[in-house]
């Protein structure tokens, strides 16, 4: 009874997380676009980091477009990660927990997390160049930074790789046990 109840909870939670991941993935581009489209209208607290780099606190449309495109680099990686997580939760919804498909999907989530971390690191110099594109000569900025967010993503990606290996080993042992008479 308890195992069935637990599997039912996993299925329900998997379905909820599947929906959340899909909605979040679909929302990335419109939210990033809305931020950069409304950049000049937003309160200073929301724009200070970018505005401090620029020659003027108001960015021309073509600079905001460059900033939007730069933000799509980690945004696209985030979308891929969310869609791969959605696929993983769909497997949970179907009650497929320790299957080869589940392991492969979990490995793809780990790879997507590594890509998201790399794209987040790449975003910093792209953003610096984009936001300072309208600055006068000699005032363009190329920056590079690796912060807590990127390190956390790398750590979570590494955890996902280890968990995928553990899941694969559990799946393999389960298959061997099933074949043993």
């Amino acid at each position: 009874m308890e195992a069935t109840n637990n599997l039912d909870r996993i299925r329900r939670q998997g379905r909820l997380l599947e929906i959340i991941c899909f909605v979040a993935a679909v929302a990335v581009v419109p939210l990033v676009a809305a931020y950069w489209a409304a950049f000049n209208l937003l309160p200073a607290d929301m724009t200070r980091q970018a505005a401090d780099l620029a020659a003027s606190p108001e960015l021309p449309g073509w600079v905001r477009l460059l900033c939007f495109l730069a933000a799509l680099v980690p945004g696209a990686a985030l979308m891929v990660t969310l869609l791969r997580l959605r696929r993983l939760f769909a497997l949970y919804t179907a009650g497929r927990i320790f299957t080869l498909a589940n392991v492969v999907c979990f490995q793809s989530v780990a790879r997507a997390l590594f890509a998201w971390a790399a794209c987040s690191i790449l975003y910093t110099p792209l953003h610096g160049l984009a936001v300072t594109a309208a600055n006068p000569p000699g005032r363009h900025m190329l920056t590079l930074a690796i912060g807590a967010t990127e390190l956390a993503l790398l750590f979570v990606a590494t955890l996902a790789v280890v968990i995928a290996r553990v899941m694969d080993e559990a799946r393999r042992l389960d298959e061997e046990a099933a074949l043993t008479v």
Side-chain angles (χ1 to χ4, degrees), residues 84-85 87-88 91-92 96-112 160-161 163-165 167-169 171:
R84 289 185 180 179
L85 280 168
R87 191 172 5 152
L88 179 67
L91 291 170
Y92 292 164
R96 298 175 68 189
I97 309 297
F98 288 107
T99 64
L100 181 58
N102 187 280
V103 171
V104 169
C105 191
F106 211 93
Q107 290 167 337
S108 75
V109 168
R111 285 190 303 276
V161 167
I163 292 169
R165 288 182 182 151
M167 290 173 63
D168 194 32
E169 185 62 18
R171 176 201 58 81

Side-chain angles (χ1 to χ4, degrees), residues 14 17-29 74-91 104-106 108-110 112-113 116:
L17 289 169
E18 184 182 353
I19 292 167
I20 289 170
C21 286
F22 178 74
V23 169
V26 168
V28 169
V29 172
L78 170 60
M79 288 173 56
V80 168
T81 302
L82 288 167
L83 292 173
R84 289 185 180 179
L85 280 168
R86 177 182 182 239
R87 191 172 5 152
L88 179 67
F89 292 127
L91 291 170
V104 169
C105 191
F106 211 93
S108 75
V109 168
L113 286 166
W116 185 17

